Amino acid sequence: MNRVVIFAAGAAILLMAFLMILLLPRSERSSTAGDDSDTKRTHLLRLHAPSLGPADAKVQIVEFLDPACEACRAFYPFVKSLMAAHPDKIRLSIRHVGFHEGADFAVRVLEAARKQGKYWETLERLLASQSSWAINHRVQPELVLARLDGLGLDLERLKADLKDPEIARRIAIDRDDAQGLRVTKTPEFFVNGRQMATFGREQLAKLVADEIAKMYP
């Protein structure tokens, strides 16, 4: 009997809570959805994220990228081609999340190169040479550093900057944001906050095309 009473009481409480939500003014009910949207926007757009393209572009691609990820290497030229096909309309922001063993070292190298104004050159060099320093999906730090010749980097300064606490802070924020957005693989793309339902080049191209048509009618 006690179990029946407890169950009935619990059901009544849940029903009352549901009715209270329905009776809330629409503005208050929608504020919860707005809060979720604001949280997602915060996870996606960070001032520290390396970005390419005009600041006033109305189509924003946010890519969660692991420099040791083969799919990231394959998709990077495709993303650049989408940007080239729509100049002044697309802005790309990169968020780092290292799923491969040792990938955080490669991320630190990218961030240290960024302090010298060489982020994009270094990213493209590491992606192009990925197979030579990410062996069996494990990053070999000494081989990463060996691929930086000819980029105009001060390598001694770069090595010192690898220990910069600000770089560690950015890595932690990107990792936390990836978890908040339930990013479990790379590359993961969001276009104006919209995530691809399924993964693929055609799906990304369509998502970008849809947003361009919407934002530039």
Side-chain angles (χ1 to χ4, degrees):
M1 179 62 70
N2 288 341
R3 291 182 180 178
V4 174
V5 172
I6 292 172
F7 176 80
I13 291 171
L14 289 174
L15 179 59
M16 290 177 62
F18 177 71
L19 290 173
M20 289 177 66
I21 292 173
L22 290 179
L23 292 172
L24 282 173
R26 180 173 297 182
S27 60
E28 293 186 28
R29 274 186 277 160
S30 63
S31 68
T32 301
D35 290 344
D36 291 342
S37 178
D38 290 343
T39 299
K40 183 177 182 180
R41 190 178 299 109
T42 299
H43 284 317
L44 282 174
L45 300 176
R46 297 284 187 177
L47 292 177
H48 71 258
S51 297
L52 188 65
D56 61 349
K58 296 180 181 180
V59 177
Q60 174 86 45
I61 300 176
V62 176
E63 176 182 359
F64 283 84
L65 176 147
D66 179 342
C69 162
E70 293 178 1
C72 293
R73 179 189 66 194
F75 260 80
Y76 183 76
F78 181 69
V79 174
K80 292 290 290 292
S81 72
L82 290 176
M83 298 180 69
H86 304 283
D88 304 325
K89 295 180 179 179
I90 299 175
R91 184 169 175 83
L92 170 68
S93 293
I94 300 292
R95 308 298 304 282
H96 300 121
V97 53
F99 287 123
H100 290 72
E101 184 176 348
D104 277 357
F105 179 82
V107 172
R108 291 202 304 273
V109 167
L110 288 171
E111 289 288 357
R114 185 181 173 197
K115 291 171 68 69
Q116 298 184 39
K118 298 286 184 179
Y119 174 83
W120 297 102
E121 300 95 316
T122 305
L123 175 62
E124 293 186 6
R125 173 67 64 81
L126 290 186
L127 290 177
S129 63
Q130 185 189 84
S131 60
S132 68
W133 54 265
I135 312 299
N136 296 324
H137 305 290
R138 297 176 59 185
V139 173
Q140 309 295 320
E142 68 282 0
L143 297 181
V144 173
L145 295 175
R147 299 298 176 269
L148 303 181
D149 290 342
L151 293 177
L153 288 164
D154 181 335
L155 293 181
E156 292 306 312
R157 176 186 167 190
L158 181 140
K159 291 175 184 177
D161 285 338
L162 293 177
K163 302 176 183 178
D164 187 340
E166 174 60 19
I167 290 178
R169 187 186 73 86
R170 292 176 179 179
I171 291 174
I173 291 173
D174 283 0
R175 184 183 300 114
D176 288 346
D177 285 342
Q179 291 176 354
L181 293 165
R182 298 179 183 178
V183 172
T184 59
K185 62 186 181 305
T186 55
E188 186 67 85
F189 296 96
F190 295 81
V191 182
N192 284 357
R194 296 173 59 198
Q195 188 175 7
M196 290 190 299
T198 57
F199 183 74
R201 294 188 179 190
E202 291 183 3
Q203 292 89 327
L204 178 58
K206 184 178 186 309
L207 192 56
V208 169
D210 288 349
E211 289 301 313
I212 288 176
K214 183 190 305 181
M215 303 307 296
Y216 295 94

Short mmCIF file of all heavy atoms in Angstrom, two decimals, residues 141-171:
data_model
loop_
_atom_site.label_atom_id
_atom_site.label_comp_id
_atom_site.label_asym_id
_atom_site.label_seq_id
_atom_site.Cartn_x
_atom_site.Cartn_y
_atom_site.Cartn_z
N PRO A 141 56.47 14.01 -30.82
CA PRO A 141 56.80 15.44 -30.67
C PRO A 141 58.04 15.88 -31.43
O PRO A 141 58.03 16.94 -32.07
CB PRO A 141 56.98 15.59 -29.15
CG PRO A 141 56.10 14.54 -28.57
CD PRO A 141 56.21 13.37 -29.50
N GLU A 142 59.12 15.08 -31.38
CA GLU A 142 60.34 15.51 -32.04
C GLU A 142 60.16 15.59 -33.55
O GLU A 142 60.79 16.42 -34.23
CB GLU A 142 61.50 14.57 -31.69
CG GLU A 142 61.39 13.16 -32.25
CD GLU A 142 60.43 12.26 -31.48
OE1 GLU A 142 59.83 12.73 -30.50
OE2 GLU A 142 60.28 11.09 -31.87
N LEU A 143 59.28 14.75 -34.09
CA LEU A 143 59.03 14.78 -35.54
C LEU A 143 58.14 15.95 -35.93
O LEU A 143 58.25 16.47 -37.04
CB LEU A 143 58.39 13.46 -35.98
CG LEU A 143 59.25 12.21 -35.78
CD1 LEU A 143 58.53 10.97 -36.29
CD2 LEU A 143 60.59 12.36 -36.49
N VAL A 144 57.28 16.38 -35.01
CA VAL A 144 56.47 17.58 -35.26
C VAL A 144 57.39 18.78 -35.42
O VAL A 144 57.28 19.55 -36.39
CB VAL A 144 55.47 17.83 -34.11
CG1 VAL A 144 54.78 19.18 -34.29
CG2 VAL A 144 54.44 16.71 -34.04
N LEU A 145 58.29 18.95 -34.48
CA LEU A 145 59.20 20.09 -34.51
C LEU A 145 60.09 20.06 -35.74
O LEU A 145 60.46 21.11 -36.28
CB LEU A 145 60.05 20.11 -33.24
CG LEU A 145 59.28 20.34 -31.93
CD1 LEU A 145 60.21 20.22 -30.73
CD2 LEU A 145 58.60 21.70 -31.93
N ALA A 146 60.43 18.86 -36.21
CA ALA A 146 61.31 18.74 -37.38
C ALA A 146 60.63 19.19 -38.67
O ALA A 146 61.29 19.40 -39.69
CB ALA A 146 61.78 17.29 -37.52
N ARG A 147 59.30 19.35 -38.64
CA ARG A 147 58.57 19.74 -39.85
C ARG A 147 58.35 21.25 -39.95
O ARG A 147 57.65 21.70 -40.86
CB ARG A 147 57.20 19.03 -39.89
CG ARG A 147 57.30 17.51 -39.93
CD ARG A 147 58.02 17.02 -41.18
NE ARG A 147 58.22 15.57 -41.20
CZ ARG A 147 59.30 14.95 -40.72
NH1 ARG A 147 60.29 15.67 -40.20
NH2 ARG A 147 59.40 13.64 -40.79
N LEU A 148 58.96 22.02 -39.06
CA LEU A 148 58.69 23.46 -39.01
C LEU A 148 59.72 24.31 -39.74
O LEU A 148 59.59 25.53 -39.79
CB LEU A 148 58.60 23.91 -37.55
CG LEU A 148 57.56 23.19 -36.69
CD1 LEU A 148 57.55 23.76 -35.28
CD2 LEU A 148 56.18 23.29 -37.33
N ASP A 149 60.73 23.67 -40.31
CA ASP A 149 61.76 24.43 -41.01
C ASP A 149 61.16 25.17 -42.21
O ASP A 149 60.25 24.67 -42.88
CB ASP A 149 62.87 23.50 -41.50
CG ASP A 149 63.72 22.96 -40.36
OD1 ASP A 149 63.67 23.57 -39.26
OD2 ASP A 149 64.39 21.93 -40.55
N GLY A 150 61.68 26.37 -42.46
CA GLY A 150 61.28 27.12 -43.64
C GLY A 150 60.03 27.95 -43.46
O GLY A 150 59.60 28.61 -44.41
N LEU A 151 59.46 27.97 -42.27
CA LEU A 151 58.25 28.76 -42.03
C LEU A 151 58.56 30.14 -41.45
O LEU A 151 57.66 30.94 -41.23
CB LEU A 151 57.31 28.01 -41.07
CG LEU A 151 56.69 26.73 -41.62
CD1 LEU A 151 55.82 26.06 -40.54
CD2 LEU A 151 55.85 27.01 -42.85
N GLY A 152 59.84 30.40 -41.20
CA GLY A 152 60.21 31.69 -40.63
C GLY A 152 59.95 31.79 -39.14
O GLY A 152 59.86 32.90 -38.59
N LEU A 153 59.86 30.65 -38.47
CA LEU A 153 59.62 30.64 -37.03
C LEU A 153 60.92 30.72 -36.25
O LEU A 153 61.94 30.16 -36.65
CB LEU A 153 58.88 29.35 -36.63
CG LEU A 153 57.41 29.24 -37.04
CD1 LEU A 153 56.95 27.78 -36.92
CD2 LEU A 153 56.54 30.14 -36.18
N ASP A 154 60.88 31.42 -35.13
CA ASP A 154 61.96 31.38 -34.16
C ASP A 154 61.72 30.14 -33.31
O ASP A 154 60.88 30.14 -32.40
CB ASP A 154 61.94 32.64 -33.30
CG ASP A 154 63.06 32.69 -32.27
OD1 ASP A 154 63.56 31.62 -31.89
OD2 ASP A 154 63.40 33.79 -31.82
N LEU A 155 62.43 29.06 -33.61
CA LEU A 155 62.13 27.78 -32.98
C LEU A 155 62.45 27.77 -31.49
O LEU A 155 61.76 27.09 -30.71
CB LEU A 155 62.89 26.66 -33.70
CG LEU A 155 62.42 26.38 -35.14
CD1 LEU A 155 63.21 25.23 -35.75
CD2 LEU A 155 60.93 26.07 -35.17
N GLU A 156 63.47 28.49 -31.09
CA GLU A 156 63.78 28.54 -29.66
C GLU A 156 62.67 29.26 -28.90
O GLU A 156 62.27 28.83 -27.81
CB GLU A 156 65.13 29.24 -29.43
CG GLU A 156 66.32 28.44 -29.95
CD GLU A 156 66.34 27.02 -29.40
OE1 GLU A 156 66.19 26.87 -28.16
OE2 GLU A 156 66.50 26.08 -30.19
N ARG A 157 62.18 30.34 -29.46
CA ARG A 157 61.06 31.04 -28.84
C ARG A 157 59.82 30.15 -28.82
O ARG A 157 59.08 30.11 -27.83
CB ARG A 157 60.77 32.33 -29.59
CG ARG A 157 59.55 33.08 -29.08
CD ARG A 157 59.22 34.27 -29.97
NE ARG A 157 57.90 34.81 -29.68
CZ ARG A 157 57.27 35.71 -30.41
NH1 ARG A 157 57.87 36.21 -31.49
NH2 ARG A 157 56.06 36.13 -30.08
N LEU A 158 59.59 29.43 -29.92
CA LEU A 158 58.44 28.54 -29.98
C LEU A 158 58.50 27.48 -28.90
O LEU A 158 57.51 27.20 -28.21
CB LEU A 158 58.36 27.89 -31.37
CG LEU A 158 57.16 26.96 -31.59
CD1 LEU A 158 56.58 27.14 -32.99
CD2 LEU A 158 57.56 25.50 -31.39
N LYS A 159 59.65 26.88 -28.71
CA LYS A 159 59.79 25.84 -27.69
C LYS A 159 59.52 26.40 -26.30
O LYS A 159 58.92 25.72 -25.46
CB LYS A 159 61.20 25.23 -27.76
CG LYS A 159 61.44 24.41 -29.02
CD LYS A 159 62.89 23.93 -29.08
CE LYS A 159 63.17 23.18 -30.38
NZ LYS A 159 64.59 22.77 -30.49
N ALA A 160 59.96 27.62 -26.06
CA ALA A 160 59.69 28.25 -24.76
C ALA A 160 58.21 28.54 -24.59
O ALA A 160 57.64 28.35 -23.50
CB ALA A 160 60.51 29.54 -24.63
N ASP A 161 57.56 28.96 -25.68
CA ASP A 161 56.15 29.29 -25.61
C ASP A 161 55.25 28.07 -25.44
O ASP A 161 54.07 28.21 -25.06
CB ASP A 161 55.72 30.06 -26.87
CG ASP A 161 56.21 31.50 -26.87
OD1 ASP A 161 56.48 32.02 -25.77
OD2 ASP A 161 56.31 32.10 -27.96
N LEU A 162 55.77 26.88 -25.71
CA LEU A 162 54.97 25.68 -25.52
C LEU A 162 54.49 25.53 -24.07
O LEU A 162 53.48 24.88 -23.81
CB LEU A 162 55.79 24.42 -25.90
CG LEU A 162 56.16 24.26 -27.38
CD1 LEU A 162 57.03 23.03 -27.57
CD2 LEU A 162 54.90 24.16 -28.24
N LYS A 163 55.21 26.16 -23.15
CA LYS A 163 54.87 26.06 -21.72
C LYS A 163 54.03 27.25 -21.24
O LYS A 163 53.76 27.36 -20.05
CB LYS A 163 56.15 25.98 -20.90
CG LYS A 163 57.04 24.80 -21.27
CD LYS A 163 58.35 24.84 -20.49
CE LYS A 163 59.26 23.69 -20.91
NZ LYS A 163 60.58 23.74 -20.19
N ASP A 164 53.63 28.10 -22.16
CA ASP A 164 52.85 29.29 -21.80
C ASP A 164 51.51 28.87 -21.16
O ASP A 164 50.74 28.12 -21.77
CB ASP A 164 52.58 30.11 -23.06
CG ASP A 164 51.92 31.46 -22.77
OD1 ASP A 164 51.32 31.61 -21.68
OD2 ASP A 164 51.98 32.35 -23.64
N PRO A 165 51.22 29.33 -19.94
CA PRO A 165 49.95 28.97 -19.29
C PRO A 165 48.72 29.38 -20.09
O PRO A 165 47.67 28.74 -19.99
CB PRO A 165 50.02 29.73 -17.95
CG PRO A 165 51.46 29.98 -17.72
CD PRO A 165 52.08 30.16 -19.08
N GLU A 166 48.83 30.44 -20.87
CA GLU A 166 47.68 30.87 -21.68
C GLU A 166 47.32 29.82 -22.72
O GLU A 166 46.14 29.60 -23.02
CB GLU A 166 47.99 32.20 -22.37
CG GLU A 166 46.93 32.69 -23.36
CD GLU A 166 45.56 32.92 -22.73
OE1 GLU A 166 45.47 33.05 -21.49
OE2 GLU A 166 44.56 32.95 -23.49
N ILE A 167 48.34 29.17 -23.28
CA ILE A 167 48.07 28.11 -24.25
C ILE A 167 47.36 26.94 -23.58
O ILE A 167 46.39 26.39 -24.11
CB ILE A 167 49.38 27.65 -24.93
CG1 ILE A 167 49.90 28.75 -25.86
CG2 ILE A 167 49.18 26.34 -25.68
CD1 ILE A 167 51.22 28.43 -26.53
N ALA A 168 47.81 26.58 -22.39
CA ALA A 168 47.15 25.50 -21.64
C ALA A 168 45.71 25.87 -21.32
O ALA A 168 44.81 25.02 -21.38
CB ALA A 168 47.93 25.21 -20.35
N ARG A 169 45.47 27.15 -21.02
CA ARG A 169 44.11 27.60 -20.72
C ARG A 169 43.21 27.46 -21.94
O ARG A 169 42.06 27.01 -21.84
CB ARG A 169 44.14 29.05 -20.24
CG ARG A 169 42.80 29.58 -19.73
CD ARG A 169 42.88 31.07 -19.42
NE ARG A 169 42.95 31.86 -20.63
CZ ARG A 169 41.88 32.28 -21.31
NH1 ARG A 169 40.65 31.97 -20.90
NH2 ARG A 169 42.01 33.01 -22.40
N ARG A 170 43.72 27.85 -23.11
CA ARG A 170 42.93 27.76 -24.33
C ARG A 170 42.59 26.30 -24.66
O ARG A 170 41.48 25.99 -25.09
CB ARG A 170 43.68 28.40 -25.50
CG ARG A 170 43.81 29.91 -25.38
CD ARG A 170 44.65 30.48 -26.50
NE ARG A 170 44.76 31.93 -26.41
CZ ARG A 170 45.44 32.68 -27.25
NH1 ARG A 170 46.09 32.11 -28.27
NH2 ARG A 170 45.49 33.99 -27.10
N ILE A 171 43.57 25.43 -24.50
CA ILE A 171 43.34 24.01 -24.76
C ILE A 171 42.24 23.47 -23.84
O ILE A 171 41.36 22.73 -24.28
CB ILE A 171 44.64 23.20 -24.57
CG1 ILE A 171 45.64 23.56 -25.69
CG2 ILE A 171 44.37 21.70 -24.56
CD1 ILE A 171 47.01 22.93 -25.52
#
